[in-house]
Amino acid sequence: MRASSLLMMVAVAAVAHAQADLDLAQAPASPAYVLLGVEPASVERPGDPTDLAFSLLTATEGLSVLPRHYALSVAPYWLLGAGERVTFAEWRREADLWTTLAQTLDISVATASPEDEDLTSLGAGLRFSLRRGTVPQSAALADLEAAQRAAAADAGAQLAALEGADSLLVALEQILLAPGLAPAAREPIERAIAARREALVASLVPLPHDRLQELASRVDLRRRGWKLDLAGGVTGDFPGRKVETGRFGRAGAWFTGGYDGPKWSSLGVVRWLTTADESSLDAGARVVFVGSSRFAASAEGLGRWRPGADTWRGCLIVDYTVAPNRTLSFTFGRDFSGRPTGNLLAAVQLLLGFGAARGT
Amino acid sequence: MAVTQSIFYPIGQNDAAVVRLRIVVGQAQKGATSVHRGGTLLVSTNDDVVTLDLGTGAEVRGEKFYCATVVTDVNPQTNLTSVSWELAGGERVFAKACTETLDHDGDSVLYVAVITCL
């Protein structure tokens, strides 16, 4: 009993290492949070420039203080309204270099303050793609499309029937369409029709929001094909929360790319991290084979170059889904040298998921 | 939640010209559109760009077209949705765009435009 408990503790520790390093295979969505070492409970995602200004002014009390805990993520292309003419069909496909860069650019900013220190750290980062792959058609997407079509057709038919039976609207339209109506007399009638129509639209049977939400959550928006992503960021520490005391914290850059297919994917990563005291460079690759909806296997190799402490890790991971949101994961291999628990990676872990996740 | 537009489109003297309707679902969101003429369904599609010849000026004068578009937020980078309507072939070219910001990923909104040809 005691031995098995110990084994489990070692396994959990080893898995913790494995999970942390596996994240290297993808450029982080928000480098500022990664470099600060925070996972914000809530992230401000303003929808337009007014929202952005409001969020910044509120968080900084009118640009007078550095907020203690704040996280912001902004996609400038979409924030500035450039997406009004971008269709889903265009977005899901590959695009030219500049379009891809602009549409995928995401800027993250965050602050964090340790509870027991009078210090605030500020981080800023950005991430973008140079190649983004494509979102494939799927059965889940077809289901969503069918439900949307039915809802749109139903709403249109309902409104046509309601308007045809509404005596006030019919009377107003007869006046509007009467020959010889002076242009000046049209405007108030058009306003009255618009107002009456808004009332009729409000009385339509509501959209099946829950059904559409459920179907949308099943759509896998993970892009397939060739991908190339870049991310980077920098942090600064501000003792006493004063600008003049600011000093460099750390900086990092990620360069990831490869091919992501339905059965096989092969992704490489180069990561550079530096602090005021030391720098390190990681480079490696991961190959993943998805045998079925239940079975996946992957192999990963990663080298780490640090002054006087070069090391590497390599491991095999097999995942088997035993039930929805229940995955058994086996990990075996060699971890980086210098771990407090040794460098043998050998773990069995039951991964529990909750709810449906949407890929990005 | 619904966004409603009443469009009064003058045909003028262009009886022979074909009136063309174009509807665009933007912001890389997923949409579906139906167009009814009175109670008759003309189009039901998931195309992001819908182009439809409504008829000649003489044929559509006095007619109403009901355009219903359901947009679901699938773009992980924004919760903004937009639909634009364009009409050509009448007295002038008409263009109008509406936007709506949704609260959560996966939320949906109904855009309704009723076009009355004068």
Side-chain angles (χ1 to χ4, degrees), chain A residues 8 27 30 50 65 124 148 165 168 177 181-182 184 192-193 217 225 237 239 283 328 359:
Chain A
M8 185 163 289
S30 303
T50 307
V65 298
Q148 286 182 310
L168 174 59
L177 295 171
L181 182 68
I193 290 172
S217 74
D237 298 327
L328 207 52

Side-chain angles (χ1 to χ4, degrees), chain A residues 5 23 39 65 70 78 108 195 321 323 338-339 352:
Chain A
S5 298
D23 290 343
E39 291 183 19
V65 298
Y70 179 66
W78 306 97
S108 53
T321 302
R339 297 288 197 198
L352 304 176

Side-chain angles (χ1 to χ4, degrees), chain A residues 78 83-89 91 103 145 148-149 152-153 157 159-160 163 173 190 197 201 209 213 221 358, chain B residues 6 22 26-30 34 36 38 46 48 64 66 68 72-74 77 84 86 105 107-108 112 114:
Chain A
W78 306 97
E84 189 177 294
R85 309 292 295 180
V86 179
T87 65
F88 180 75
W91 175 82
Q103 291 185 356
E145 289 176 337
Q148 286 182 310
R149 276 199 313 276
L159 185 61
E163 290 204 357
E173 285 175 339
E190 289 177 355
R197 178 164 292 135
V201 169
H209 286 287
Q213 175 76 248
L221 293 171
R358 211 168 76 182
Chain B
S6 290
R22 191 165 186 262
Q27 305 296 345
Q29 308 289 14
K30 196 80 202 81
S34 71
H36 285 78
N46 284 104
D48 303 315
K64 278 200 298 183
Y66 297 89
T72 302
D73 175 12
V74 296
Q77 287 185 288
S84 60
E86 296 165 17
D105 290 348
D107 282 356
S108 295
V112 172
V114 181

Side-chain angles (χ1 to χ4, degrees), chain B residues 44-85:
Chain B
S44 174
T45 180
N46 284 104
D47 290 349
D48 303 315
V49 180
V50 181
T51 304
L52 183 65
D53 288 343
L54 300 178
T56 62
E59 288 168 342
V60 300
R61 186 178 281 110
E63 293 288 334
K64 278 200 298 183
F65 297 88
Y66 297 89
C67 312
T69 302
V70 173
V71 183
T72 302
D73 175 12
V74 296
N75 182 348
Q77 287 185 288
T78 182
N79 288 345
L80 193 63
T81 66
S82 73
V83 173
S84 60
W85 302 271

